[in-house]
Amino acid sequence: MIDKELIKKVRLIQFRSSKVVNDILAGEYKSVFKGSGMEFEEVRRYEPGDEIRSIDWNVTARMGEPYIKRFKEERDLSVMFVVDTSASGKYGNADISKNELAAQITTLLALSATKNNDKVGLLAFSDRIEKFIAPKKGTAHVLRLVSEILSLTPEGKGTDIAEALKYLAKVCKRRCLVFLISDFIDDNYEKVLRVIEKKHDIVAISLRDKQEEELPACGLVQVVDAETGEAFMVDTSSAASRREFSRIAGLQRIALEKNFKSIGIDHVGIEAGSDYIPELVKFFRVRERRRLIG
């Protein structure tokens, strides 16, 4: 892809995302993802209806009348997009690959974060760390992240989620919000994920393509694993083979959901080619309800 084509694609993603952010997602994002704490704002006279527990007794004693402390939310939140750029991400239907889908979702969420004055950063990975960009504020920085995802030619082909999470722990010492975006075609990362989840707020966004779960009936075909290079023959003319393929894919998806639930992290599943905005809005609202009741 030449530079002009890349710029055009990034600007198109930005144009489409900005409207969604302004109309739908920014408010949802702000209500769900809070800052790192509370900071002191002012001391003022007590007024009827104020919370009694907010009274500053030292100032009250000096002034001879009740005063309260007021705090405001510290909105300065760092958001890291940990994005899988392995070879399997190039797979997708005719309209969009999983890597492009990851770039679109990153744009939406990063613009929502930026609109709320949060910092955003990127950690792109395959079976190694491909790119790290420290969190910063601003729309220009968001566009840089998106450009990196779209233009990156990874050195590795496989996926090592555990290694990415370990690197994240090294470079992000303070608690941050982490969007882990991958197709999760990997093993043995759950233990590390449990450890990292205790320090950071992690949201897993799993990407899938329908063609990975439903084989078309087109005879004997050679299938090549994009990450390992392993090739094998599949008889897609067999209805039984197609059903078994879909059954295994369904079981893998269910197992993934159970893993995230057992670890205690939020999960959003998104299919390439689908309208994923409702899925993100649904996630925001479910999380907000959970926060309010518990």
Side-chain angles (χ1 to χ4, degrees):
M1 181 185 297
I2 62 173
D3 288 344
K4 288 184 179 179
E5 291 174 337
L6 176 61
I7 292 170
K8 182 178 179 181
K9 181 167 284 191
V10 171
R11 290 297 182 186
L12 181 60
I13 292 175
Q14 180 195 15
F15 174 76
R16 291 174 175 172
S17 299
S18 295
K19 180 172 175 56
V20 174
V21 169
N22 291 331
D23 294 348
I24 303 172
L25 287 186
E28 300 282 353
Y29 172 94
K30 184 174 183 178
S31 66
V32 171
F33 300 113
K34 302 299 180 182
S36 55
M38 304 296 289
E39 61 179 8
F40 175 74
E41 185 173 25
E42 65 175 351
V43 174
R44 65 164 173 78
R45 285 189 177 90
Y46 174 86
E47 296 177 359
D50 285 338
E51 175 60 61
I52 294 176
R53 288 175 295 182
S54 298
I55 292 178
D56 185 322
W57 295 107
N58 290 329
V59 176
T60 297
R62 289 199 306 270
M63 302 300 293
E65 59 180 313
Y67 274 73
I68 66 167
K69 281 183 178 180
R70 291 190 62 198
F71 295 84
K72 65 179 178 180
E73 180 187 352
E74 189 180 331
R75 257 258 45 117
D76 189 12
L77 183 66
S78 290
V79 184
M80 282 300 303
F81 292 89
V82 181
V83 181
D84 181 356
T85 56
S86 60
S88 61
K90 296 179 181 178
Y91 185 85
N93 58 42
D95 296 321
I96 187 170
S97 68
K98 285 184 287 186
N99 280 349
E100 289 179 295
L101 179 59
Q104 290 185 11
I105 293 170
T106 297
T107 307
L108 276 172
L109 295 173
L111 287 176
S112 298
T114 296
K115 195 172 180 67
N116 284 285
N117 206 35
D118 293 338
K119 296 180 287 187
V120 296
L122 172 69
L123 198 170
F125 71 97
S126 56
D127 53 16
R128 66 200 71 186
I129 304 306
E130 299 287 352
K131 191 82 175 183
F132 172 70
I133 301 176
K136 289 183 181 179
K137 297 181 181 182
T139 302
H141 187 64
V142 172
L143 298 183
R144 181 191 172 193
L145 304 191
V146 178
S147 298
E148 291 288 354
I149 296 171
L150 290 174
S151 63
L152 183 65
T153 301
E155 294 183 9
K157 291 187 176 181
T159 304
D160 193 335
I161 295 172
E163 185 63 28
L165 292 172
K166 290 175 184 176
Y167 187 86
L168 175 73
K170 292 178 183 178
V171 294
C172 296
K173 300 299 184 182
R174 293 182 60 190
R175 180 175 176 82
C176 61
L177 170 60
V178 179
F179 288 103
L180 177 56
I181 305 175
S182 173
D183 55 17
F184 292 93
I185 301 177
D186 190 19
D187 298 308
N188 304 318
Y189 60 85
E190 291 86 353
K191 184 177 180 180
V192 178
L193 187 55
R194 286 181 188 276
V195 174
I196 302 300
E197 183 272 334
K198 296 185 184 305
K199 180 174 181 180
H200 300 292
D201 183 2
I202 300 179
V203 178
I205 300 180
S206 62
L207 309 181
R208 67 181 189 275
D209 190 284
K210 195 174 240 183
Q211 294 180 55
E212 293 175 314
E213 301 181 356
E214 297 179 7
L215 286 176
C218 54
L220 196 64
V221 298
Q222 184 182 60
V223 178
V224 179
D225 187 310
E227 298 195 357
T228 66
E230 180 183 359
F232 51 93
M233 302 301 294
V234 177
D235 184 8
T236 62
S237 63
S238 167
S241 295
R242 295 197 304 274
R243 284 195 301 271
E244 179 64 9
F245 184 88
S246 297
R247 185 186 73 84
I248 293 173
L251 290 174
Q252 290 173 336
R253 188 170 67 250
I254 292 171
L256 184 66
E257 292 170 355
K258 286 182 177 179
N259 272 342
F260 292 138
K261 189 172 183 179
S262 70
I263 293 170
I265 67 174
D266 288 320
H267 168 235
V268 186
I270 294 178
E271 182 180 303
S274 68
D275 182 3
Y276 50 82
I277 304 302
E279 289 298 322
L280 291 175
V281 172
K282 178 183 176 182
F283 157 67
F284 286 153
R285 291 178 179 172
V286 168
R287 178 163 170 147
E288 173 67 2
R289 284 198 299 270
R290 190 171 69 240
R291 186 183 69 84
L292 291 174
I293 65 176

